[in-house]
């Protein structure tokens, strides 16, 4: 429904670029799934209709990966932000895709663990 789907130009443009130098390429529609089952149903529908799917987290990437160069459906995963399980014994945590590094570190505060900004070298 409307609180979870938008075709508004401003929303589409917000989801059509990241922090990269690439020009905005907005999707045709933005959806906010809130459960794995919704993502599965949307992905199956896009696959059947041969519509591109573009995942969107926070829009801070530097590669242009959220640019919908062929249009399609943007899956904004920010509302899927649950931290499902934390195991201090094996230093692992299970999170939904909308969990940010800052939110995770807030959850980990007081455990002696943290999730640093990663580097690829």
């Amino acid at each position: 429904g409307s609180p979870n789907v938008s075709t508004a130009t401003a929303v589409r443009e917000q989801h059509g670029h990241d922090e990269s130098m690439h020009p905005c390429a907005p999707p045709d529609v933005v959806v906010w799934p809130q459960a794995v089952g919704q993502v599965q149903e949307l992905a199956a529908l896009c696959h059947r209709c041969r519509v591109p799917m573009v995942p969107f987290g926070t829009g801070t990437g530097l590669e242009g990966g959220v640019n919908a160069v062929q249009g399609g459906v943007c899956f904004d995963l920010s509302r899927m932000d649950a931290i499902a399980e934390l195991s201090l014994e094996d230093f692992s945590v299970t999170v939904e895709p909308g969990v940010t590094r800052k939110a995770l570190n807030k959850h980990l505060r007081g455990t002696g663990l943290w999730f640093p900004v990663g580097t690829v070298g």
Side-chain angles (χ1 to χ4, degrees), residues 92-111:
S92 68
V93 62
T94 303
V95 301
E96 289 185 339
V99 174
T100 64
R101 179 185 53 83
K102 288 182 180 180
L104 178 57
N105 282 330
K106 183 177 179 181
H107 184 81
L108 294 174
R109 189 174 294 138
T111 67

Side-chain angles (χ1 to χ4, degrees), residues 33-111:
Q34 297 174 35
V36 171
Q38 291 176 335
V39 173
Q40 291 170 329
E41 289 180 39
L42 288 164
L45 179 62
C46 287
H47 177 73
R48 276 196 310 274
C49 296
R50 301 181 54 87
V51 173
M53 299 173 281
V54 181
F56 187 92
T58 59
T60 59
L62 300 174
E63 303 84 15
V66 300
N67 292 47
V69 294
Q70 296 180 339
V73 178
C74 175
F75 288 49
D76 184 325
L77 303 170
S78 63
R79 295 182 185 168
M80 294 180 65
D81 61 354
I83 297 174
E85 184 179 348
L86 170 62
S87 174
L88 298 175
E89 294 78 32
D90 64 5
F91 305 107
S92 68
V93 62
T94 303
V95 301
E96 289 185 339
V99 174
T100 64
R101 179 185 53 83
K102 288 182 180 180
L104 178 57
N105 282 330
K106 183 177 179 181
H107 184 81
L108 294 174
R109 189 174 294 138
T111 67

